[in-house]
Amino acid sequence: MPVSPPQPPLLNPLVNVAVSTVVLDGRPLEHGLALLAEAGAVAVEPAYIEGYMAFDEDSFRESRAQRLARLIAVSGLTVHAVSAHTDLGSPDSHEKLRRRIGFAAALGARILICNATTADRTQDFRRVVTAVLPDLAAAGLTLALENPGHGSDALIPDGVRGAAVVAAFDSPWVRLNYDIGNALTYGARRASAAEDLRAALPVAAHLHLKDLRDVAGDWVFCPVGQGDVGYGTDVPLAAIPPDVPLGIEHPIRLWRPAHGDPRRREEVPSDSAVVAAVRSSLEWVARSASGDDQGLSTFTRGE
């Protein structure tokens, strides 16, 4: 049995950068994976997020995980994390979380990303997560709790409070997936973007990069570095240690009218739009990893 989560290898600037399948919404997965490879992706992050794309609990059968693993391998991609959200304070969350742990393990992922819950369900959330610690250890899988991008009364509204929630478990199998874009759009961040990132990094097993810009009062998702989140300025990507895996979330089929909850457009983005968006984000991240973003190069985890 593993005694601590395995660490990712340090190879090239993009080896620990995955692209979420949210960008593929509306097209067959096999075709979508080929598009990611065409755009230059090295890894893929399968995503099961309510409101972002369609799925149900049958999606988490072990047989489906094995089939997905084969598709990813045939596409020449790898997987180190999977997003499979559910409210971990709800009455049925224990079985749902165990189902997701089995799915992620069968897929070959090292990290399972999931939202936590609302503040009023804190005790139930702690009970559920504590109960699955042996399952996580047996699978060698890290549960990475994510701060949401919309809603209200979230237990983890930002990096500062997310770090406190994770620290209370005192377990290497429970960490944070800090979503930098979500910290902006949720609207409850008390610290600056850089300070909130600094607070999250010591307990972060994974980071999400998501960007969006205001267009006539609506939020529209866009490639990393082209929006209002402030990557490279307020959020210096060169500051992120290279051993922290990154996931680029690029839900270009969605928009957020009047900065509200995400909505899906009827029209599916073209293949060329998907490739162009993913390629742009990957190129931005690669430049930033090389220190070309003019960020705070002395900002490191644990300072």
Side-chain angles (χ1 to χ4, degrees), residues 65-85:
Q66 293 168 344
R67 177 180 178 274
L68 177 56
R70 289 193 294 268
L71 287 178
I72 291 171
V74 168
S75 300
L77 302 170
T78 61
V79 57
H80 49 66
V82 56
S83 289
H85 293 294

Side-chain angles (χ1 to χ4, degrees), residues 22 25 49-54 149-150 212 217-221 250-269:
V22 295
D25 184 28
I49 308 171
E50 185 176 356
Y52 277 47
M53 52 206 315
H150 61 281
L212 69 175
D218 299 336
W219 268 330
V220 177
F221 294 96
H250 213 320
I252 57 176
R253 192 179 179 182
L254 303 182
W255 92 107
R256 295 183 57 175
H259 296 188
D261 290 350
R263 295 186 185 176
R264 295 168 81 193
R265 295 181 176 89
E266 290 294 327
E267 182 181 359
V268 177

Side-chain angles (χ1 to χ4, degrees), residues 8-13 15-17 237-246 289 301:
L10 303 182
L11 297 174
N12 62 60
V15 73
N16 281 332
V17 180
L237 293 188
I240 299 170
D243 63 327
V244 179
L246 308 176
R301 179 163 50 172

Side-chain angles (χ1 to χ4, degrees), residues 186-276:
Y186 189 79
R189 188 175 61 198
R190 297 171 180 171
S192 69
E195 290 169 342
D196 206 47
L197 175 61
R198 184 190 295 273
L201 280 174
V203 298
H206 194 275
L207 299 180
H208 268 166
L209 308 182
K210 182 192 291 117
D211 211 348
L212 69 175
R213 54 176 173 258
D214 186 289
V215 178
D218 299 336
W219 268 330
V220 177
F221 294 96
C222 61
V224 175
Q226 296 184 16
D228 300 334
V229 173
Y231 294 107
T233 53
D234 296 340
V235 183
L237 293 188
I240 299 170
D243 63 327
V244 179
L246 308 176
I248 295 174
E249 281 195 320
H250 213 320
I252 57 176
R253 192 179 179 182
L254 303 182
W255 92 107
R256 295 183 57 175
H259 296 188
D261 290 350
R263 295 186 185 176
R264 295 168 81 193
R265 295 181 176 89
E266 290 294 327
E267 182 181 359
V268 177
S270 67
D271 286 358
S272 60
V274 169
V275 171

Side-chain angles (χ1 to χ4, degrees), residues 108-301:
R110 300 190 308 268
I111 298 168
L112 170 62
I113 297 168
C114 188
N115 286 139
T117 189
T118 50
D120 60 312
R121 293 176 166 180
T122 299
Q123 289 186 344
D124 290 333
F125 158 77
R126 286 191 55 81
R127 174 182 54 78
V128 167
V129 174
T130 299
V132 301
L133 289 178
D135 301 273
L136 293 169
L141 188 70
T142 298
L143 175 64
L145 302 169
E146 180 175 333
N147 54 302
H150 61 281
S152 61
D153 198 31
L155 179 62
I156 300 180
D158 56 20
V160 171
R161 281 168 281 185
V165 169
V166 167
F169 284 101
D170 192 26
S171 169
W173 304 107
V174 180
R175 312 302 284 171
L176 190 66
N177 174 62
Y178 182 61
D179 189 308
I180 297 171
N182 283 356
L184 169 69
T185 62
Y186 189 79
R189 188 175 61 198
R190 297 171 180 171
S192 69
E195 290 169 342
D196 206 47
L197 175 61
R198 184 190 295 273
L201 280 174
V203 298
H206 194 275
L207 299 180
H208 268 166
L209 308 182
K210 182 192 291 117
D211 211 348
L212 69 175
R213 54 176 173 258
D214 186 289
V215 178
D218 299 336
W219 268 330
V220 177
F221 294 96
C222 61
V224 175
Q226 296 184 16
D228 300 334
V229 173
Y231 294 107
T233 53
D234 296 340
V235 183
L237 293 188
I240 299 170
D243 63 327
V244 179
L246 308 176
I248 295 174
E249 281 195 320
H250 213 320
I252 57 176
R253 192 179 179 182
L254 303 182
W255 92 107
R256 295 183 57 175
H259 296 188
D261 290 350
R263 295 186 185 176
R264 295 168 81 193
R265 295 181 176 89
E266 290 294 327
E267 182 181 359
V268 177
S270 67
D271 286 358
S272 60
V274 169
V275 171
V278 171
R279 183 172 290 154
S280 177
S281 291
L282 288 172
E283 289 174 350
W284 177 272
V285 173
R287 289 196 303 271
S288 299
S290 301
D292 295 339
D293 66 331
Q294 305 301 315
L296 303 176
S297 60
T298 58
F299 177 76
T300 57
R301 179 163 50 172

